[in-house]
Amino acid sequence: MSIYDTLNVEQKKAVLQTEGPVLILAGAGSGKTRVLTHRVAYLIDECGVNPWNIMAITFTNKAAGEMRERVDKIVGFGSESIWVTTFHSTCVRILRRYADRLGYSNNFTIYDSDDSKSVLKNIVKQYNLETRDLKLRQIQNTISKCKDNLVTANSYTLSSGNDFQKQKIAKAYQEYQISLKKNNAMDFDDLIMNTVILFRENKDVLENYQERFKYIMVDEYQDTNNAQFELIRLLADRYKNLCVVGDDDQSIYRFRGANIRNILDFEKNYPDATVIKLEQNYRSTQNILDAANTVIKHNRSRKEKALWTDEGEGSKVRFCEFEQAPEEANFIADDISNKKRQGKLSYSETAVLYRTNAQSRLIEERFVMYGIPYNVVGGTNFYARREIKDLLAYLKTIDNGSDELAVRRIINIPKRGIGATTLNKIADYAGTHDMNFYDAIAHANEFITGKTVDKLHDFDLMIKAFRAKQKMMSLEELIHDVIDVTDFEEYLKSLEDDDENNGSQDNDRRQNVQELIGKVISYEEKADEPTLSGFLEDVALVADIDNVAEGDERVLLMTLHSAKGLEFEHVYLAGLEEGTFPSYMTINAEDSDPMAMEEERRLAYVGITRAKKELTISCAHRRMVRGSFESLAVSRFVDEIPERLLDRSGSSVMPSFLFEGGDTIEDDDDYDYDADAYMPSSRGNNTRRTFGNSSGYSGSSYTRADYADRSYGHKNFSSGSAYNSAANTSSRLGGFKSNANDRSSEKIDHVPGSSIYGPVGKPKATIGRKPAARTPVSKPFIAGAASSHKSAGKGSLNGISKGLQKPSSLDYKEGDRVSHIKYGEGVVKSIEDGARDYKVTVEFDDAGQKIMFAAFAKLKKL
DNA sequence: CTTCGCGTTATTTTT
DNA sequence: TAACGCGAAG
């Protein structure tokens, strides 16, 4: 029996059809990766194709990595010479060889969207291009869209005609490209477009690659944009052995230029294409598939198909409605923790999906309270974090002096007293003397006087020293040296003080730096010939999802977009409300752009089909949206699921009378922390049911007494919870909280209209412990790097263990003399209770006054 | 040059 | 809500 006998009829057909264009319409969970890998094996083993001639393209490194792994397993020999990569890295590889043909040097840098935004910002400012109805963001989007469609700056300019707005954008586009070239940089979109241009203008290069890639496979084809389509078309033009795999129902990247017509019109572009539909699903239960099928049926632009399984019905899709968003979050945490305790679920097989990243916050808070370990995928990309970008800018400057953006970023980090005026002078000089920004610094004495010259000179010397050292050092040593020489620690400290002051607590910065070092180390281990440029390139093309470690005993929180391609036994789809999902942007644009709603629906389809065994959908009728409260109706996508598939018994909607009267929630900024004062519990007998339709209110059977009763249920919760922080427990007894770490006690009673929502005004009332910091305590990238190396952050620092780590007291107090490893001895001036840790102010004998975190400062009492 | 504080404003998804 | 930009003051 051969490996191909394990495939079903359609899958087999897809594997055996090796010649000519092939379109595989692979529904969610239909085993497309299996098909692709088997197809590769078949080409090599049975058709005698040289692995060298095979290319498989995906969108994310993660997908590429998985494919690579599986191909390696199934292909005996030579699998390493198959190109299994992403679109972007494919293009980088090609451009590294031939960028000179486009007037770039081959060691060009890659700009992420932040980088390109700041380049654009300068241009927009310089030429006064921003107006009331033309914002930077819009300009950036338009330029990006142009590139997705292979419209160059010149052709856009020609097409702008008399349109004033277009002319402005055209000017920005032109100048932007000039800047990029001057900086020897390409943005993400350039990578694709420039490769296409390279191919179009250099027949020899194109032919070279056409000969090489005789068999091309493209995964997630529904997400290709026009430039990617053209890239593939060119490459496959000679042999036409192009196999694309995708699912039009999972096309969710239109906003990024993906063109669903690429997959819908494949047969038009390749009339002799073989089309194969994979509809048997090996992932989910029939109920889940039915829900997905009926929802997606509401779309018009799609190829008819329906998923089925022979795995059986499974349980119904649970739909739970809540009055307030925090209740919803609480329900999810409670439900997961119950099921976990009963052995019905494993964290690693559980995910919470939502439409927007902002929604993770409430859920994280609850997870911390319940002690549920989790990872948040997405949000701010690791490499977009300030301290990481700063360090990378140093490395970029050392690597490639023509990257003005990088130089500008670090020239005054840490503060060196080099300000805007000086930067402008440097830029002017560079401009008039036709040299790049960094090189102009060496001529500072020609256009600047006084102390600033010395400062610039020092900076220049420092960079040059790094460059010299780089030749003798490993990358790891280099980055350590940069951190030492620049006193980066001190800089981080100042950042963390800021973090505290403005309430944002993105302060795992030190850990992030450790993480970056870990990535440097693992890069050096895995790369054949590690170079600084190589590292920077690796780093430029990673997405957050790439670092998600599987099998971690953690619940994953992520957006629906990030979840594509993944599967979990238990999936919680949160925030199914009109305005949240579908997003209000889409609803507003419904008339002018009906396709947007279809895309939103596909997103719902993606979400539903992530679930293997159990799907729980939830919504809240009121939710805080950018600072104010909004009332929201149940999402149309819920209504599109047939009633027979739904189990609505978990709902818990508060009666509307609680919101009547003068006590408007909008006025109360403590609301979101205090919501658990009325938190219902699905445990025990306290669960109430809401009957009737999705409006939620009409069927409510609550009374005031019920409500009080539910608050009582709250107490049950705390004693039975796995989370046993003293602070947390005490908060629930009799409505008083008495938290050792809190400065005051506030009464919380359960009477509607008074302080259910907490006292008005500052200081913020906190129940139990303080809410989770905005930034999750542990990040996916930690797991990623930790698995590859022994780097810091490896520990089991999930939300809760960190929460409990906080010492209940310090062994020193105000007025005590303490010693610090770096600053020597001093006197404690004050101790303040910060969100995560104590903030200690110390007046050092030599170093002066410093504010530091207790856990980090490791002060010793004398 | 740097810091602070105020007013404004923008809100989706991200390779 | 939070991030940003701007102007004024140190």
Side-chain angles (χ1 to χ4, degrees):
Chain A
M1 174 168 146
S2 80
I3 53 167
Y4 310 105
D5 293 336
T6 58
L7 302 167
N8 70 33
V9 176
E10 294 301 311
Q11 290 177 329
K12 206 169 193 173
K13 201 170 144 199
V15 168
L16 301 185
Q17 181 66 47
T18 57
E19 306 302 302
V22 179
L23 168 62
I24 303 173
L25 285 167
S30 62
K32 63 170 184 167
T33 313
R34 239 166 86 83
V35 167
L36 278 179
T37 50
H38 280 74
R39 200 168 185 274
V40 171
Y42 187 79
L43 280 169
I44 297 170
D45 297 341
E46 308 294 326
C47 308
V49 174
N50 186 337
W52 171 263
N53 292 130
I54 300 173
M55 170 190 234
I57 290 204
T58 64
F59 276 84
T60 64
N61 294 303
K62 184 171 196 281
E66 273 163 19
M67 177 116 60
R68 166 112 265 158
E69 207 173 290
R70 289 169 68 167
V71 166
D72 283 349
K73 255 185 216 155
I74 193 174
V75 174
F77 182 73
S79 74
E80 69 285 344
S81 47
I82 308 169
W83 266 47
V84 185
T85 41
T86 65
F87 272 99
H88 294 273
S89 29
T90 297
C91 290
V92 171
R93 254 159 102 174
I94 294 169
L95 289 168
R96 284 276 176 239
R97 263 181 90 178
Y98 295 105
D100 54 320
R101 305 241 188 147
L102 298 169
Y104 281 87
S105 92
N106 288 1
N107 66 341
F108 61 88
T109 52
I110 301 165
Y111 277 180
D112 65 22
S113 31
D114 274 353
D115 297 332
S116 63
K117 191 172 166 194
S118 41
V119 172
L120 211 48
K121 197 184 261 172
N122 286 335
I123 291 164
V124 160
K125 215 178 252 170
Q126 191 182 342
Y127 296 94
N128 247 322
L129 298 172
E130 214 166 3
T131 56
R132 193 166 36 82
D133 37 28
L134 181 63
K135 291 148 295 175
L136 179 67
R137 190 194 180 83
Q138 198 190 335
I139 296 175
Q140 197 186 6
N141 282 341
T142 309
I143 293 175
S144 173
K145 206 161 268 172
C146 281
K147 292 179 177 180
D148 288 344
N149 290 310
L150 299 169
V151 176
T152 61
N154 283 338
S155 49
Y156 186 80
T157 308
L158 289 176
S159 73
S160 58
N162 291 327
D163 188 323
F164 185 59
Q165 189 132 318
K166 276 190 174 175
Q167 286 171 357
K168 288 203 159 201
I169 297 172
K171 176 68 178 165
Y173 191 2
Q174 296 272 13
E175 291 300 324
Y176 174 65
Q177 290 310 112
I178 291 170
S179 288
L180 287 180
K181 209 161 220 176
K182 213 169 65 193
N183 292 335
N184 197 24
M186 296 191 199
D187 65 22
F188 285 142
D189 305 315
D190 280 333
L191 295 175
I192 314 283
M193 180 169 81
N194 284 339
T195 309
V196 170
I197 292 173
L198 172 78
F199 284 164
R200 282 181 178 172
E201 293 176 353
N202 298 271
K203 282 280 162 291
D204 60 317
V205 178
L206 176 60
E207 278 168 19
N208 172 20
Y209 285 104
Q210 284 177 335
E211 278 304 321
R212 161 131 197 208
F213 301 124
K214 296 198 169 92
Y215 292 87
I216 299 173
M217 274 161 269
V218 185
D219 193 14
E220 306 279 15
Y221 190 68
Q222 76 282 354
D223 289 330
T224 50
N225 62 34
N226 291 342
Q228 287 158 336
F229 169 86
E230 180 64 5
L231 179 79
I232 293 298
R233 192 194 67 78
L234 284 167
L235 280 173
D237 207 34
R238 195 176 190 103
Y239 290 96
K240 301 238 168 37
N241 294 322
L242 172 62
C243 171
V244 303
V245 188
D247 180 359
D248 49 308
D249 289 334
Q250 293 187 67
S251 171
I252 55 171
Y253 284 105
R254 199 178 75 123
F255 69 95
R256 212 171 58 194
N259 184 354
I260 193 171
R261 305 264 29 127
N262 286 163
I263 193 164
L264 294 177
D265 296 344
F266 188 80
E267 298 149 88
K268 270 188 207 147
N269 295 315
Y270 296 93
D272 53 337
T274 308
V275 182
I276 296 160
K277 281 187 190 176
L278 305 179
E279 290 171 296
Q280 182 174 1
N281 173 292
Y282 297 94
R283 177 187 294 156
S284 313
T285 64
Q286 191 65 53
N287 277 340
I288 291 169
L289 294 181
D290 285 352
N293 283 334
T294 49
V295 168
I296 200 64
K297 258 204 153 85
H298 288 79
N299 275 3
R300 299 190 62 95
S301 312
R302 64 183 290 260
K303 298 200 178 235
E304 182 58 34
K305 58 182 146 4
L307 296 175
W308 59 276
T309 180
D310 51 21
E311 292 296 303
E313 265 191 357
S315 51
K316 288 188 177 181
V317 174
R318 281 197 298 170
F319 173 56
C320 306
E321 271 180 85
F322 300 91
E323 195 49 56
Q324 299 285 348
E327 288 181 79
E328 180 197 33
N330 198 83
F331 161 76
I332 293 171
D334 195 50
D335 199 55
I336 290 176
S337 128
N338 278 334
K339 291 210 161 81
K340 171 70 177 175
R341 212 157 12 85
Q342 294 160 18
K344 288 186 190 160
L345 136 172
S346 119
Y347 291 141
S348 61
E349 273 296 331
T350 306
V352 183
L353 311 179
Y354 36 78
R355 178 68 234 261
T356 63
N357 278 308
Q359 289 169 255
S360 75
R361 189 174 184 264
L362 285 177
I363 298 166
E364 285 182 62
E365 284 173 9
R366 296 298 143 151
F367 275 23
V368 170
M369 287 183 182
Y370 274 79
I372 299 171
Y374 65 91
N375 270 157
V376 180
V377 179
T380 10
N381 186 307
F382 177 75
Y383 293 103
R385 280 157 204 280
R386 183 170 171 180
E387 63 280 9
I388 299 303
K389 289 215 89 167
D390 291 337
L391 272 178
L392 289 177
Y394 268 102
L395 297 181
K396 282 182 183 173
T397 304
I398 296 167
D399 186 49
N400 169 7
S402 50
D403 187 348
E404 174 172 342
L405 205 63
V407 181
R408 276 178 180 268
R409 184 180 185 98
I410 52 157
I411 196 166
N412 201 30
I413 285 179
K415 301 228 157 56
R416 299 188 175 90
I418 300 171
T421 325
T422 310
L423 292 181
N424 286 337
K425 284 183 188 163
I426 299 171
D428 282 351
Y429 185 89
T432 51
H433 291 75
D434 196 29
M435 61 173 69
N436 69 44
F437 187 86
Y438 178 80
D439 292 335
I441 294 173
H443 300 262
N445 59 335
E446 295 172 34
F447 54 92
I448 284 175
T449 52
K451 274 188 179 166
T452 313
V453 178
D454 296 334
K455 292 173 188 164
L456 288 173
H457 184 63
D458 288 347
F459 176 76
D460 189 30
L461 276 184
M462 178 180 71
I463 296 297
K464 294 213 162 99
F466 284 141
R467 285 182 184 162
K469 287 188 249 184
Q470 184 211 343
K471 299 200 172 82
M472 290 119 60
M473 283 177 166
S474 69
L475 292 183
E476 186 191 353
E477 289 168 316
L478 180 67
I479 193 168
H480 276 298
D481 195 54
V482 169
I483 289 169
D484 286 349
V485 171
T486 58
D487 204 0
F488 208 74
E489 281 283 318
E490 188 61 29
Y491 167 64
L492 284 181
K493 211 163 286 171
S494 69
L495 284 185
E496 288 188 347
D497 290 345
D498 289 351
D499 292 342
E500 266 303 294
N501 291 337
N502 63 27
S504 88
Q505 303 176 358
D506 222 348
N507 58 16
D508 287 317
R509 297 188 190 277
R510 197 162 276 100
Q511 220 177 51
N512 290 342
V513 169
Q514 280 308 317
E515 210 41 56
L516 182 67
I517 296 171
K519 284 176 191 288
V520 168
I521 294 169
S522 60
Y523 166 76
E524 284 190 303
E525 281 172 357
K526 77 162 213 286
D528 298 333
E529 250 177 82
T531 60
L532 184 51
S533 321
F535 174 70
L536 291 172
E537 179 178 316
D538 254 31
V539 142
L541 296 173
V542 280
D544 248 326
I545 191 73
D546 296 336
N547 290 315
V548 174
E550 253 145 73
D552 256 15
E553 217 8 54
R554 283 158 191 276
V555 177
L556 284 182
L557 273 57
M558 66 188 123
T559 62
L560 290 151
H561 283 87
S562 301
K564 195 171 67 150
L566 307 177
E567 55 178 34
F568 306 89
E569 307 230 312
H570 300 263
V571 168
Y572 293 80
L573 259 176
L576 266 274
E577 302 120 24
E578 290 285 303
T580 312
F581 184 28
S583 81
Y584 76 93
M585 297 286 273
T586 313
I587 295 172
N588 287 342
E590 216 178 342
D591 296 328
S592 59
D593 183 8
M595 292 306 287
M597 189 55 78
E598 298 218 340
E599 171 136 330
E600 206 83 0
R601 188 172 285 108
R602 291 193 289 269
L603 205 47
Y605 176 82
V606 167
I608 295 170
T609 53
R610 294 313 94 195
K612 293 203 247 183
K613 286 208 179 118
E614 197 178 69
L615 175 65
T616 305
I617 291 174
S618 57
C619 75
H621 288 284
R622 286 176 77 79
R623 180 182 297 278
M624 170 123 48
V625 182
R626 30 180 225 281
S628 62
F629 282 86
E630 306 263 331
S631 290
L632 305 158
V634 172
S635 168
R636 65 190 71 190
F637 301 142
V638 175
D639 295 334
E640 288 169 7
I641 300 175
E643 200 57 40
R644 69 172 176 89
L645 297 174
L646 290 180
D647 166 11
R648 314 179 83 112
S649 64
S651 291
S652 172
V653 176
M654 277 235 291
S656 52
F657 64 76
L658 285 172
F659 299 103
E660 288 162 3
D663 187 61
T664 57
I665 311 176
E666 280 84 339
D667 292 334
D668 181 27
D669 61 353
D670 292 315
Y671 150 80
D672 91 64
Y673 296 153
D674 284 347
D676 61 344
Y678 55 78
M679 175 190 66
S681 168
S682 65
R683 192 169 310 160
N685 297 323
N686 298 305
T687 306
R688 301 294 160 164
R689 298 179 179 212
T690 300
F691 306 102
N693 59 29
S694 51
S695 74
Y697 291 82
S698 55
S700 169
S701 59
Y702 284 120
T703 63
R704 283 166 197 259
D706 280 328
Y707 181 65
D709 183 42
R710 282 198 296 161
S711 295
Y712 177 75
H714 208 183
K715 278 198 276 188
N716 292 343
F717 148 74
S718 66
S719 55
S721 167
Y723 180 61
N724 268 327
S725 146
N728 210 5
T729 309
S730 65
S731 74
R732 310 225 145 80
L733 300 176
F736 285 91
K737 80 186 177 95
S738 55
N739 179 341
N741 292 328
D742 269 302
R743 288 171 295 277
S744 63
S745 287
E746 284 139 355
K747 186 179 180 190
I748 312 281
D749 68 29
H750 298 305
V751 181
S754 62
S755 57
I756 298 178
Y757 308 113
V760 177
K762 320 248 169 183
K764 282 201 167 157
T766 56
I767 292 199
R769 76 185 292 287
K770 299 204 174 182
R774 171 63 195 93
T775 307
V777 180
S778 70
K779 285 282 184 188
F781 48 76
I782 290 175
S787 61
S788 58
H789 204 270
K790 44 159 192 348
S791 70
K794 163 80 186 173
S796 60
L797 285 185
N798 62 41
I800 196 57
S801 64
K802 181 120 178 191
L804 294 174
Q805 237 184 13
K806 178 168 169 173
S808 52
S809 65
L810 300 168
D811 65 348
Y812 46 84
K813 58 185 189 300
E814 286 179 25
D816 282 351
R817 276 193 74 75
V818 292
S819 84
H820 181 271
I821 190 148
K822 185 165 167 193
Y823 300 125
E825 295 183 12
V827 180
V828 178
K829 287 284 165 206
S830 70
I831 299 177
E832 236 185 295
D833 188 7
R836 292 251 192 109
D837 195 356
Y838 293 101
K839 232 166 66 172
V840 185
T841 309
V842 182
E843 181 73 39
F844 288 104
D845 302 343
D846 303 319
Q849 188 167 307
K850 301 276 177 196
I851 300 171
M852 51 191 73
F853 288 110
F856 179 74
K858 297 200 184 82
L859 296 166
K860 289 216 171 55
K861 190 181 176 191
L862 295 175

